[in-house]
Amino acid sequence: MEVIIVPTAQDVGELAAARIADLVASKPDAVLGLATGSSPQGVYAELHRRVQAGSLSFAGVRGFALDEYVGLPLEHPESYASVITRDVVEPLGFDPSNVRVPDGRADDLDRAAQEYDEAIAQAGGIDLQILGIGANGHIGFNEPTSSFASRTRIKTLAPQTRLDNARFFDSPDQVPTHCLTQGLGTILEAREVVLVAQGAGKAAAIAAAVEGPLTALVPGSALQLHRRATVIVDEDAASGLKLADYYRYTYAHKPQ
Ligand code: GLP
Protein backbone atom coordinates (compact mmCIF):
# COMPACT_ATOMS: atom_id res chain seq x y z
CA MET A 1 0.00 0.00 0.00
CA GLU A 2 1.14 3.52 -0.65
CA VAL A 3 0.60 5.57 2.50
CA ILE A 4 0.61 9.35 2.07
CA ILE A 5 0.53 11.52 5.17
CA VAL A 6 -0.51 15.14 4.63
CA PRO A 7 -0.84 17.94 7.20
CA THR A 8 -4.59 18.58 7.18
CA ALA A 9 -7.95 17.07 6.33
CA GLN A 10 -8.26 19.57 3.50
CA ASP A 11 -4.98 18.29 2.01
CA VAL A 12 -6.42 14.76 2.09
CA GLY A 13 -9.37 15.88 -0.04
CA GLU A 14 -7.21 17.82 -2.46
CA LEU A 15 -4.72 15.02 -3.05
CA ALA A 16 -7.38 12.35 -3.57
CA ALA A 17 -9.34 14.69 -5.86
CA ALA A 18 -6.21 15.36 -7.93
CA ARG A 19 -5.79 11.61 -8.54
CA ILE A 20 -9.44 11.26 -9.58
CA ALA A 21 -9.21 14.32 -11.85
CA ASP A 22 -6.14 12.78 -13.57
CA LEU A 23 -8.05 9.56 -14.16
CA VAL A 24 -11.11 11.34 -15.58
CA ALA A 25 -8.90 13.49 -17.83
CA SER A 26 -7.35 10.36 -19.33
CA LYS A 27 -10.59 8.35 -19.37
CA PRO A 28 -13.73 10.55 -19.58
CA ASP A 29 -16.01 7.50 -19.25
CA ALA A 30 -14.15 6.12 -16.23
CA VAL A 31 -16.05 4.01 -13.70
CA LEU A 32 -15.78 5.34 -10.15
CA GLY A 33 -16.70 3.52 -6.96
CA LEU A 34 -18.44 6.10 -4.79
CA ALA A 35 -18.32 6.15 -1.00
CA THR A 36 -20.68 7.94 1.36
CA GLY A 37 -19.94 9.06 4.93
CA SER A 38 -18.04 12.13 6.07
CA SER A 39 -14.57 10.92 4.98
CA PRO A 40 -14.89 11.61 1.22
CA GLN A 41 -16.73 14.94 1.65
CA GLY A 42 -13.52 16.92 1.20
CA VAL A 43 -12.73 14.94 -1.94
CA TYR A 44 -16.12 15.74 -3.44
CA ALA A 45 -15.79 19.41 -2.41
CA GLU A 46 -12.46 19.73 -4.23
CA LEU A 47 -13.84 17.93 -7.29
CA HIS A 48 -16.80 20.34 -7.23
CA ARG A 49 -14.39 23.28 -7.17
CA ARG A 50 -12.64 21.92 -10.26
CA VAL A 51 -15.96 21.36 -12.06
CA GLN A 52 -17.00 24.94 -11.25
CA ALA A 53 -13.67 26.18 -12.57
CA GLY A 54 -14.36 24.35 -15.84
CA SER A 55 -11.28 22.12 -15.64
CA LEU A 56 -13.14 18.85 -15.03
CA SER A 57 -16.34 17.19 -16.26
CA PHE A 58 -18.15 14.13 -14.96
CA ALA A 59 -20.70 14.15 -17.79
CA GLY A 60 -19.44 10.82 -19.16
CA VAL A 61 -18.22 9.27 -15.91
CA ARG A 62 -20.06 6.26 -14.52
CA GLY A 63 -20.48 5.53 -10.82
CA PHE A 64 -21.34 2.66 -8.50
CA ALA A 65 -22.07 3.35 -4.84
CA LEU A 66 -20.45 1.10 -2.28
CA ASP A 67 -23.47 0.35 -0.17
CA GLU A 68 -27.06 1.15 0.80
CA TYR A 69 -29.28 0.70 3.82
CA VAL A 70 -31.99 -1.95 3.61
CA GLY A 71 -35.56 -0.77 3.97
CA LEU A 72 -35.22 3.02 3.84
CA PRO A 73 -37.56 4.64 1.31
CA LEU A 74 -35.67 5.93 -1.72
CA GLU A 75 -36.65 9.52 -0.89
CA HIS A 76 -35.45 9.27 2.73
CA PRO A 77 -32.76 11.96 3.05
CA GLU A 78 -30.30 9.46 4.55
CA SER A 79 -30.78 6.67 2.03
CA TYR A 80 -27.44 6.40 0.27
CA ALA A 81 -29.31 6.89 -3.01
CA SER A 82 -30.35 10.34 -1.71
CA VAL A 83 -26.89 11.07 -0.28
CA ILE A 84 -25.13 10.14 -3.53
CA THR A 85 -27.56 12.29 -5.52
CA ARG A 86 -27.12 15.25 -3.17
CA ASP A 87 -23.36 15.03 -2.53
CA VAL A 88 -22.04 13.63 -5.78
CA VAL A 89 -24.39 13.41 -8.77
CA GLU A 90 -25.85 16.92 -8.62
CA PRO A 91 -22.80 18.97 -7.57
CA LEU A 92 -20.40 17.15 -9.88
CA GLY A 93 -22.78 16.99 -12.83
CA PHE A 94 -22.97 13.23 -13.36
CA ASP A 95 -25.67 11.99 -15.71
CA PRO A 96 -28.02 10.35 -13.13
CA SER A 97 -28.56 7.41 -15.47
CA ASN A 98 -24.82 6.67 -15.21
CA VAL A 99 -24.89 6.19 -11.44
CA ARG A 100 -26.16 3.14 -9.65
CA VAL A 101 -26.76 2.41 -5.96
CA PRO A 102 -27.57 -1.07 -4.57
CA ASP A 103 -31.36 -1.52 -4.29
CA GLY A 104 -32.00 -1.80 -0.56
CA ARG A 105 -35.76 -1.85 -1.17
CA ALA A 106 -35.80 -4.89 -3.43
CA ASP A 107 -38.13 -7.76 -2.51
CA ASP A 108 -35.34 -10.17 -3.37
CA LEU A 109 -32.19 -8.68 -1.84
CA ASP A 110 -29.95 -11.61 -2.82
CA ARG A 111 -30.93 -11.14 -6.43
CA ALA A 112 -30.49 -7.35 -6.25
CA ALA A 113 -27.00 -7.91 -4.84
CA GLN A 114 -26.05 -10.37 -7.55
CA GLU A 115 -27.38 -8.05 -10.26
CA TYR A 116 -25.29 -5.25 -8.80
CA ASP A 117 -22.05 -7.21 -9.18
CA GLU A 118 -23.13 -8.16 -12.71
CA ALA A 119 -23.76 -4.49 -13.56
CA ILE A 120 -20.26 -3.58 -12.36
CA ALA A 121 -18.79 -6.32 -14.54
CA GLN A 122 -20.87 -5.18 -17.54
CA ALA A 123 -19.52 -1.65 -17.08
CA GLY A 124 -16.03 -3.10 -17.44
CA GLY A 125 -15.21 -3.06 -13.72
CA ILE A 126 -14.43 -0.17 -11.42
CA ASP A 127 -11.41 1.94 -12.38
CA LEU A 128 -11.02 3.70 -9.05
CA GLN A 129 -12.79 2.95 -5.80
CA ILE A 130 -13.00 5.76 -3.24
CA LEU A 131 -13.15 4.46 0.33
CA GLY A 132 -13.48 5.69 3.88
CA ILE A 133 -12.95 3.43 6.88
CA GLY A 134 -15.12 2.85 9.92
CA ALA A 135 -13.74 3.16 13.44
CA ASN A 136 -14.00 -0.64 13.69
CA GLY A 137 -12.01 -1.07 10.47
CA HIS A 138 -14.97 -1.67 8.15
CA ILE A 139 -14.85 -0.63 4.51
CA GLY A 140 -18.14 -0.19 2.71
CA PHE A 141 -20.35 -1.90 5.26
CA ASN A 142 -18.14 -4.98 5.48
CA GLU A 143 -18.16 -5.41 9.22
CA PRO A 144 -15.47 -7.35 11.13
CA THR A 145 -15.29 -11.04 10.12
CA SER A 146 -16.51 -10.30 6.58
CA SER A 147 -14.98 -12.76 4.15
CA PHE A 148 -12.14 -11.43 2.01
CA ALA A 149 -13.86 -13.23 -0.89
CA SER A 150 -17.29 -11.70 -0.24
CA ARG A 151 -19.44 -10.28 -3.02
CA THR A 152 -22.18 -7.65 -2.84
CA ARG A 153 -24.66 -9.01 -0.30
CA ILE A 154 -26.87 -8.27 2.68
CA LYS A 155 -25.04 -7.58 5.95
CA THR A 156 -26.15 -6.89 9.51
CA LEU A 157 -24.75 -3.58 10.72
CA ALA A 158 -22.60 -3.81 13.85
CA PRO A 159 -24.14 -2.05 16.86
CA GLN A 160 -21.15 0.34 16.89
CA THR A 161 -21.74 1.27 13.24
CA ARG A 162 -25.40 2.00 13.96
CA LEU A 163 -24.34 4.22 16.87
CA ASP A 164 -21.70 5.96 14.70
CA ASN A 165 -24.29 6.67 12.00
CA ALA A 166 -27.04 7.71 14.43
CA ARG A 167 -25.89 11.32 14.03
CA PHE A 168 -27.58 11.36 10.62
CA PHE A 169 -30.94 10.21 12.01
CA ASP A 170 -33.42 11.66 14.52
CA SER A 171 -32.75 8.82 16.95
CA PRO A 172 -30.38 5.80 17.08
CA ASP A 173 -33.20 3.28 16.69
CA GLN A 174 -34.06 4.78 13.29
CA VAL A 175 -30.74 3.59 11.86
CA PRO A 176 -31.52 0.51 9.75
CA THR A 177 -30.21 -2.81 11.04
CA HIS A 178 -29.18 -4.16 7.62
CA CYS A 179 -27.53 -3.01 4.43
CA LEU A 180 -26.43 -4.14 1.01
CA THR A 181 -22.72 -3.63 0.53
CA GLN A 182 -20.14 -4.41 -2.11
CA GLY A 183 -18.11 -7.30 -0.75
CA LEU A 184 -14.43 -7.22 0.06
CA GLY A 185 -13.87 -9.42 -3.00
CA THR A 186 -15.83 -6.91 -5.10
CA ILE A 187 -13.78 -4.00 -3.75
CA LEU A 188 -10.50 -5.85 -4.35
CA GLU A 189 -11.41 -6.17 -8.04
CA ALA A 190 -11.35 -2.39 -8.54
CA ARG A 191 -8.28 -1.50 -10.58
CA GLU A 192 -7.26 1.14 -8.07
CA VAL A 193 -8.37 1.95 -4.54
CA VAL A 194 -7.97 5.29 -2.74
CA LEU A 195 -8.82 5.24 0.96
CA VAL A 196 -9.09 8.56 2.80
CA ALA A 197 -9.22 9.11 6.56
CA GLN A 198 -9.03 12.14 8.79
CA GLY A 199 -8.91 12.66 12.54
CA ALA A 200 -7.67 10.81 15.61
CA GLY A 201 -10.84 8.72 15.74
CA LYS A 202 -9.59 6.79 12.69
CA ALA A 203 -5.97 6.35 13.88
CA ALA A 204 -6.43 2.86 15.34
CA ALA A 205 -8.39 1.61 12.32
CA ILE A 206 -5.77 2.98 9.91
CA ALA A 207 -2.88 1.45 11.87
CA ALA A 208 -4.61 -1.93 12.00
CA ALA A 209 -5.57 -1.88 8.31
CA VAL A 210 -2.15 -0.75 7.04
CA GLU A 211 0.31 -2.33 9.47
CA GLY A 212 -1.64 -5.01 11.31
CA PRO A 213 -2.01 -8.62 10.28
CA LEU A 214 -4.25 -9.56 7.40
CA THR A 215 -7.38 -10.44 9.33
CA ALA A 216 -11.12 -10.57 8.80
CA LEU A 217 -11.40 -8.80 12.16
CA VAL A 218 -10.13 -5.68 10.37
CA PRO A 219 -11.84 -5.66 6.95
CA GLY A 220 -9.67 -2.75 5.79
CA SER A 221 -6.60 -4.99 6.09
CA ALA A 222 -7.89 -6.77 2.96
CA LEU A 223 -6.47 -3.83 1.02
CA GLN A 224 -2.98 -5.18 1.74
CA LEU A 225 -3.85 -7.73 -0.96
CA HIS A 226 -4.57 -5.02 -3.54
CA ARG A 227 -1.96 -4.22 -6.16
CA ARG A 228 -2.74 -0.51 -6.25
CA ALA A 229 -4.09 0.81 -2.98
CA THR A 230 -3.33 4.34 -1.79
CA VAL A 231 -4.12 5.44 1.75
CA ILE A 232 -4.24 9.22 2.20
CA VAL A 233 -4.41 10.39 5.81
CA ASP A 234 -3.95 13.57 7.79
CA GLU A 235 -1.51 13.74 10.70
CA ASP A 236 -4.17 12.81 13.27
CA ALA A 237 -5.33 9.73 11.38
CA ALA A 238 -1.66 8.78 10.89
CA SER A 239 -0.85 9.06 14.59
CA GLY A 240 -0.97 5.28 15.21
CA LEU A 241 1.32 4.33 12.31
CA LYS A 242 4.67 2.83 13.39
CA LEU A 243 6.35 3.52 10.06
CA ALA A 244 5.04 7.07 9.60
CA ASP A 245 8.54 8.45 9.04
CA TYR A 246 9.19 5.85 6.37
CA TYR A 247 5.97 6.77 4.54
CA ARG A 248 6.94 10.46 4.65
CA TYR A 249 10.42 9.65 3.33
CA THR A 250 8.99 7.45 0.58
CA TYR A 251 6.54 10.10 -0.59
CA ALA A 252 9.20 12.83 -0.47
CA HIS A 253 11.40 10.66 -2.72
CA LYS A 254 8.65 9.38 -4.99
CA PRO A 255 9.92 9.13 -8.58
CA GLN A 256 7.95 11.15 -11.12
C1 GLP B 1 -20.07 4.36 6.86
C2 GLP B 1 -20.04 3.91 5.37
C3 GLP B 1 -18.62 3.68 4.93
C4 GLP B 1 -17.75 4.75 5.55
C5 GLP B 1 -17.63 4.53 7.02
C6 GLP B 1 -16.99 5.69 7.75
O1 GLP B 1 -21.04 3.78 7.60
N1 GLP B 1 -20.84 2.80 5.03
O2 GLP B 1 -18.56 3.68 3.52
O3 GLP B 1 -16.46 4.71 5.00
O4 GLP B 1 -18.87 4.16 7.57
O5 GLP B 1 -17.86 6.77 7.87
P1 GLP B 1 -17.37 8.25 8.04
O6 GLP B 1 -16.61 8.58 6.79
O7 GLP B 1 -18.61 9.07 8.18
O8 GLP B 1 -16.50 8.27 9.24
Side-chain angles (χ1 to χ4, degrees):
M1 300 161 97
E2 181 181 19
V3 182
I4 304 176
I5 302 170
V6 291
T8 68
Q10 184 173 340
D11 298 322
V12 172
E14 287 177 6
L15 195 57
R19 173 63 203 125
I20 294 164
D22 280 352
L23 170 68
V24 172
S26 66
K27 188 175 181 186
D29 64 345
V31 181
L32 289 183
L34 302 168
T36 50
S38 46
S39 304
Q41 291 304 316
V43 183
Y44 298 139
E46 172 61 15
L47 291 173
H48 177 61
R49 195 190 64 71
R50 289 170 184 243
V51 169
Q52 294 285 90
S55 60
L56 179 63
S57 169
F58 285 88
V61 175
R62 295 163 291 162
F64 286 90
L66 259 180
D67 44 17
E68 174 61 294
Y69 292 114
V70 164
L72 281 190
L74 199 59
E75 62 279 5
H76 190 289
E78 295 308 327
S79 77
Y80 282 173
S82 294
V83 173
I84 289 283
T85 299
R86 196 167 61 229
D87 291 354
V88 182
V89 173
E90 289 175 348
L92 300 189
F94 277 79
D95 177 343
S97 68
N98 281 342
V99 178
R100 191 159 167 169
V101 180
D103 184 1
R105 296 151 302 279
D107 290 332
D108 186 341
L109 291 165
D110 287 340
R111 189 185 172 89
Q114 191 183 332
E115 285 175 359
Y116 199 70
D117 274 351
E118 287 166 4
I120 292 173
Q122 275 161 19
I126 288 173
D127 289 303
L128 187 152
Q129 175 67 56
I130 305 163
L131 288 176
I133 189 166
N136 66 0
H138 73 229
I139 53 176
F141 269 137
N142 292 283
E143 299 287 22
T145 70
S146 288
S147 162
F148 282 14
S150 51
R151 312 301 308 175
T152 301
R153 69 215 184 286
I154 185 169
K155 285 291 288 180
T156 307
L157 295 177
Q160 183 61 51
T161 301
R162 292 186 69 225
L163 277 180
D164 287 347
N165 287 5
R167 65 189 191 280
F168 298 114
F169 293 81
D170 291 337
S171 70
D173 57 350
Q174 287 182 13
V175 184
T177 52
H178 294 81
C179 65
L180 287 183
T181 181
Q182 284 188 35
L184 293 175
T186 318
I187 292 169
L188 289 175
E189 283 172 8
R191 284 184 274 283
E192 179 176 356
V193 172
V194 175
L195 186 149
V196 292
Q198 311 89 351
K202 297 293 173 69
I206 287 292
V210 172
E211 296 179 337
L214 201 61
T215 170
L217 276 180
V218 181
S221 70
L223 298 178
Q224 295 177 31
L225 294 170
H226 199 283
R227 280 175 296 179
R228 194 168 179 198
T230 306
V231 175
I232 307 177
V233 287
D234 67 5
E235 289 287 351
D236 288 340
S239 58
L241 290 169
K242 293 192 187 80
L243 299 186
D245 286 344
Y246 169 66
Y247 307 135
R248 289 192 187 91
Y249 175 89
T250 305
Y251 190 58
H253 294 84
K254 185 171 176 171
Q256 280 310 308

